[in-house]
Amino acid sequence: MPDQTSEATETDTAEATETDTAEAVPAADAAEMGAVSAEVDERADAAAPRSRRRRMRRNDWRQGGSTVARWREGLLAIALFSLGAGLLGSAAIGVVLPGATVLAAVVLWIALAVPVVWGFARSRPAGLLRFRPVDLLFGITLGVMIRFIQGGVAASGGDTAFPSYAVFDGQLPSTWLVVDGFGAVLIAPVLEEFFFHGVVLVALYTVLRRPVGKLAAGIGALLVTTGAFVLVHGLAGALGVDAVVGLVLVAGVGGALVLLTGRIWAAVLLHVTYNAVFVALALVGTLFG
């Protein structure tokens, strides 16, 4: 009997040892798997912020990406060709049909619109058309300030406080509403901003960003578009010092807003406000001058 009890005890002890060992092995495997899983999770958590940052950069055209991949040399060539054709066509109409001011303006507006439509039909630069309430504040405030700076320069040169329009038999010309009214306040500034700062500036910055860096690309694009903006307006007629100052500020500040915010609407509102203030002052000068 004692021998049988001893054997049973040894058998139970061996079975318990085997059971503990069998249970310990999966527990060790589980612990190892848990450690590996935790390491994978840590790596995923560390990689997630980088992935999110990459996605955020793609939401801004200034960082490159697929949305501006087609806004490069080809679009710049189309824009320059269309602008040149529009200027020549408008000038030719002015020579052949001196009184057809509306037609001449429409030809130039179409020339500005063609590359804009072409570019946005192919792709929309990320964030360029985004609107923020602060854009309204920037546009209106800066537009008024620049107009009064231009007016101050004009006054220092001996010009009258209020500009005025030419009248015929006490009335504004029949083309005033299209060209100098609605055209000057809405059509021209919107098209010009989208052409110079929505197409040319963005495409030029995209081309220059990698070769020369972001800062140099921004400065170069800003100088080129500002010079082209003033030159185009100068071709329409002689410019006084005050007009040059106003044009440089409108183009320079508008382009800087696009580069700094990545959005176009503050520049558009600045230009609209600048022109609208002139129209309002000129109407006052015409009525009471």
Side-chain angles (χ1 to χ4, degrees):
M1 290 296 292
D3 294 339
Q4 293 177 354
T5 303
S6 176
E7 290 177 359
T9 303
E10 291 176 357
T11 301
D12 293 341
T13 303
E15 291 177 353
T17 303
E18 290 177 359
T19 302
D20 294 341
T21 303
E23 291 176 354
V25 171
D29 292 342
E32 183 178 356
M33 291 177 62
V36 172
S37 177
E39 184 178 356
V40 171
D41 291 341
E42 289 177 359
R43 291 178 181 177
D45 291 340
R50 291 195 296 271
S51 176
R52 284 194 293 269
R53 286 197 295 269
R54 283 195 294 270
R55 286 197 296 270
M56 287 180 64
R57 285 198 294 267
R58 295 299 184 182
N59 290 333
D60 191 328
W61 62 267
R62 295 170 295 180
Q63 302 297 329
S66 60
T67 60
V68 289
R70 297 181 178 183
W71 282 50
R72 295 180 61 86
E73 294 87 350
L75 184 57
L76 281 173
I78 293 172
L80 294 176
F81 177 81
S82 183
L83 177 62
L87 290 172
L88 289 175
S90 181
I93 291 173
V95 172
V96 177
L97 303 170
T101 56
V102 174
L103 180 59
V106 169
V107 168
L108 184 56
W109 292 340
I110 292 174
L112 296 175
V114 167
V116 174
V117 173
W118 178 275
F120 280 96
R122 292 168 63 92
S123 177
R124 293 185 180 184
L128 184 64
L129 299 180
R130 190 181 298 123
F131 177 78
R132 295 288 183 269
V134 71
D135 296 335
L136 188 65
L137 176 64
F138 284 153
I140 294 176
T141 302
L142 292 172
V144 172
M145 289 176 60
I146 293 173
R147 175 54 72 184
F148 278 98
I149 291 173
Q150 179 270 330
V153 175
S156 67
D159 291 344
T160 59
F162 289 92
S164 61
Y165 293 110
V167 294
F168 301 93
D169 296 329
Q171 295 183 345
L172 293 169
S174 58
T175 60
W176 179 88
L177 184 61
V178 176
V179 178
D180 298 307
F182 186 72
V185 174
L186 289 178
I187 299 177
V190 171
L191 287 176
E192 288 173 4
E193 288 303 318
F194 269 88
F195 178 86
F196 288 103
H197 296 145
V199 170
V200 177
L201 183 139
V202 172
L204 191 56
Y205 178 88
T206 302
V207 171
L208 297 176
R209 183 177 64 87
R210 286 187 180 276
V212 302
K214 296 178 182 179
L215 179 60
I219 293 174
L222 186 61
L223 291 176
V224 170
T225 52
T226 300
F229 183 83
V230 176
L231 178 62
V232 168
H233 285 79
L235 293 175
L239 298 175
V241 175
D242 62 299
V244 173
V245 170
L247 291 172
V248 169
L249 289 176
V250 167
V253 175
L257 285 172
V258 175
L259 288 169
L260 292 174
T261 66
R263 304 185 298 271
I264 188 80
W265 295 113
V268 171
L269 290 168
L270 181 154
H271 201 158
V272 168
T273 302
Y274 179 83
N275 285 13
V277 172
F278 174 84
V279 171
L281 293 175
L283 285 175
V284 172
T286 302
L287 293 174
F288 301 100

